[in-house]
Amino acid sequence: QREQLMEEIELLDGASVDFDQEQVSKGNMTPVFFGSALTNFGVETFLEHFLKMTTSPLPRVSDIGEIDPMDDDFSAFVFKIQANMNKAHRDRIAFMRICSGKFDASQEVYHVQGEKKMRLLQPQQMMAESRHVVDEAYDGDIIGVFDPGIFSIGVFDPGIFSIGDTLTTAKDKFAFEGIPTFAPEHFARVRQIDTMKRKQFVKGINQIAQEGAIQIFQEFNTGMEEIIVGVVGVLQFDVLKYRLENEYNVDIRLENLPYEYIRWIDNPQDFDLAKLSGTSDMKKVKDLKDRPLLLFVNEWSIRMTQERNDGLVLTEFAR
């Protein structure tokens, strides 16, 4: 049966190249491959065609225009953060794509969002479960760097990097265009059951939020005592609960909240959040970057709040 399937794949292989590469490159056509990585069936065929279809590194948009991948200056964009890849060491890895120039492990780079120079710690490349330290990499490559976090005075600093950060050696500093995020539609108040595990709870929920799996908010004028979690789909609550239990040994209790709409205040300098006049079902919160937000049950509440606060600008997405 396997030989018969292989013969069919060979027959299909000749037909599979009969597609419009221009449409594939534009994203209008999507090739589909069938195989099994577990049994190494069809993998080679997929990789061969993937190399034919993929393009060389393309320019990336920044706040000063497009950055050419052939530029001599090094630049990179953080697109993913993953905690606990090595459970024995509780490490946190920031993955970045090199967008231009050459990466040299010995050089200092400028972290645009952090506004400081730094060396990237333990640069490494990964393939499945294996990883190896690299001394250099080039545009188009993806590297992971160690991202330490600090816990002090009851507050956990998740790390140096965030998704969307830019690193560069260019004299004229710039920031790459960020990754769009979806506004959460489901909210829940989260509490740890064992109060003695406060440190693990704060660390875990901050790290998971930094990965982009959830969004967390604090009650206005409070610290991390009350944490509200926002998600796009309700299954993300299950993921949060599972990861806190298995990776941080913390049991939590989720209390669903009735809010369905979230709005960032685009001009917070013009309003005192404490005196902001809203509806009875509106909640004032802050995000991880201490930006003020409002949670609403329905769209009517949004309109009423704007009418009661002349000049208030609310946006669905953070800038």
Side-chain angles (χ1 to χ4, degrees):
Q1 185 179 10
R2 181 180 178 84
E3 291 177 357
Q4 182 181 352
L5 286 171
M6 290 302 293
E7 290 177 0
E8 292 177 359
I9 284 180
E10 290 178 1
L11 291 172
L12 290 171
D13 189 35
S16 64
V17 296
D18 187 21
F19 62 86
D20 191 334
Q21 177 63 51
E22 183 179 354
Q23 292 300 312
V24 173
S25 300
K26 291 180 177 179
N28 298 328
M29 179 183 292
T30 303
V32 178
F33 294 84
F34 297 90
S36 170
L38 185 64
T39 60
N40 195 26
F41 179 68
V43 175
E44 185 175 355
T45 301
F46 163 71
L47 292 176
E48 288 176 353
H49 285 86
F50 177 78
L51 291 174
K52 294 177 183 177
M53 291 183 294
T54 191
T55 65
S56 58
L58 300 174
R60 186 172 185 90
V61 179
S62 75
D63 55 5
I64 62 171
E66 289 190 343
I67 303 300
D68 192 326
M70 301 306 292
D71 284 352
D72 293 332
D73 294 319
F74 163 81
S75 67
F77 178 80
V78 179
F79 67 92
K80 178 182 179 181
I81 293 175
Q82 182 67 52
N84 299 329
M85 293 193 67
N86 186 337
K87 293 184 180 180
H89 299 286
R90 295 291 185 186
D91 61 348
R92 184 172 185 268
I93 302 294
F95 290 92
M96 56 188 68
R97 181 183 186 275
I98 300 176
C99 301
S100 68
K102 174 186 174 183
F103 167 74
D104 186 337
S106 63
Q107 70 185 354
E108 276 193 334
V109 302
Y110 186 77
H111 181 207
V112 176
Q113 283 72 16
E115 298 182 343
K116 62 181 179 181
K117 288 186 175 181
M118 60 189 303
R119 278 192 169 87
L120 300 180
L121 302 176
Q122 302 177 24
Q124 51 196 280
Q125 291 183 325
M126 304 180 186
M127 178 64 72
E129 294 183 352
S130 64
R131 62 175 76 183
H132 64 279
V133 176
V134 295
D135 294 322
E136 57 184 34
Y138 300 86
D139 54 288
D141 288 344
I142 292 174
I143 61 174
V145 298
F146 179 64
D147 188 16
I150 303 171
F151 190 91
S152 62
I153 319 178
V155 178
F156 181 76
D157 176 11
I160 299 171
F161 302 111
S162 298
I163 293 175
D165 283 1
T166 298
L167 298 105
T168 183
T169 57
K171 290 183 179 180
D172 297 326
K173 303 301 184 288
F174 59 86
F176 285 118
E177 191 176 75
I179 298 175
T181 56
F182 293 100
E185 299 178 358
H186 306 276
F187 299 88
R189 183 176 286 106
V190 183
R191 298 187 180 93
Q192 82 269 22
I193 295 176
D194 187 350
T195 56
M196 298 298 291
K197 295 183 177 180
R198 183 65 183 173
K199 178 178 178 179
Q200 297 98 306
F201 171 69
V202 174
K203 177 180 180 179
I205 203 163
N206 269 282
Q207 285 190 336
I208 295 172
Q210 285 289 313
E211 293 174 15
I214 60 172
Q215 295 185 48
I216 62 175
F217 311 99
Q218 301 175 23
E219 296 271 4
F220 179 60
N221 280 340
T222 67
M224 295 292 285
E225 293 82 8
E226 291 286 339
I227 296 178
I228 294 175
V229 172
V231 298
V232 177
V234 292
L235 289 179
Q236 288 174 281
F237 287 134
D238 295 332
V239 173
L240 171 64
K241 192 172 187 296
Y242 176 84
R243 289 194 61 185
L244 285 174
E245 290 176 357
N246 289 271
E247 296 179 20
Y248 300 92
N249 195 28
V250 175
D251 292 319
I252 61 170
R253 180 180 292 110
L254 290 166
E255 176 190 343
N256 291 327
L257 298 173
Y259 308 105
E260 296 183 5
Y261 299 90
I262 185 170
R263 293 294 184 269
W264 275 263
I265 299 178
D266 199 41
N267 53 340
Q269 69 280 355
D270 299 331
F271 292 89
D272 182 353
L273 191 60
K275 299 179 180 179
L276 195 72
S277 177
T279 58
S280 59
D281 56 4
M282 181 192 77
K283 179 174 282 294
K284 303 172 184 178
V285 296
K286 298 181 296 181
D287 64 8
L288 277 177
K289 297 182 179 179
D290 208 38
R291 296 174 297 194
L293 303 97
L294 302 174
L295 301 182
F296 300 95
V297 173
N298 51 52
E299 293 183 341
W300 176 84
S301 296
I302 299 175
R303 292 194 298 270
M304 286 299 298
T305 300
Q306 288 181 301
E307 290 176 6
R308 293 174 179 177
N309 300 272
D310 186 36
L312 178 67
V313 180
L314 300 179
T315 60
E316 190 172 349
F317 303 99
R319 297 186 180 182

